[in-house]
């Protein structure tokens, strides 16, 4: 479902995807291993939505939750933003 929300590229899914960011960030970065955590999948879906998700992602990068911060940074990196 998380992947499908990104495939829709509908900005109405941004709040739902943001709420999933705390669900683990993982640190696989392309290495084989267990499935990606939901938080990482949500980050990828937010990146698919693109620029419309940027304000929310920039705010999430300042979260007190380390997984939210990591996933928001990951999504921004997929968009080419540091």
């Amino acid at each position: 479902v998380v992947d499908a929300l990104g495939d829709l590229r509908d900005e109405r899914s941004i709040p739902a995807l943001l709420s999933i960011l705390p669900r683990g960030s993982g640190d696989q970065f392309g290495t084989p291993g267990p499935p990606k955590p939901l938080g990482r999948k949500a980050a990828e879906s937010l990146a698919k939505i693109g620029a419309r998700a940027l304000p929310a992602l920039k705010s999430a990068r300042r979260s007190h939750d380390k997984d939210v911060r990591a996933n928001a940074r990951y999504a921004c990196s997929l968009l080419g933003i540091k």
Side-chain angles (χ1 to χ4, degrees):
V1 172
V2 174
D3 294 330
L5 288 174
D7 291 339
L8 291 173
R9 292 175 166 78
D10 188 336
E11 65 188 74
R12 293 176 292 178
S13 64
I14 293 172
L17 291 168
L18 286 172
S19 73
I20 300 170
L21 288 181
R23 303 280 307 268
S25 60
D27 56 7
Q28 294 97 299
F29 291 111
T31 60
K36 291 181 188 173
L38 280 178
R40 182 55 48 112
K41 287 185 173 192
E44 291 170 351
S45 290
L46 285 162
K48 287 180 184 178
I49 293 170
R52 294 169 294 166
L54 275 177
L57 287 170
K58 287 180 178 179
S59 177
R61 290 192 307 185
R62 295 186 302 273
S63 171
H64 69 279
D65 185 297
K66 67 178 179 66
D67 285 329
V68 171
R69 288 191 310 270
N71 285 322
R73 284 193 308 268
Y74 176 63
C76 287
S77 74
L78 292 175
L79 293 168
I81 297 168
K82 294 183 178 185

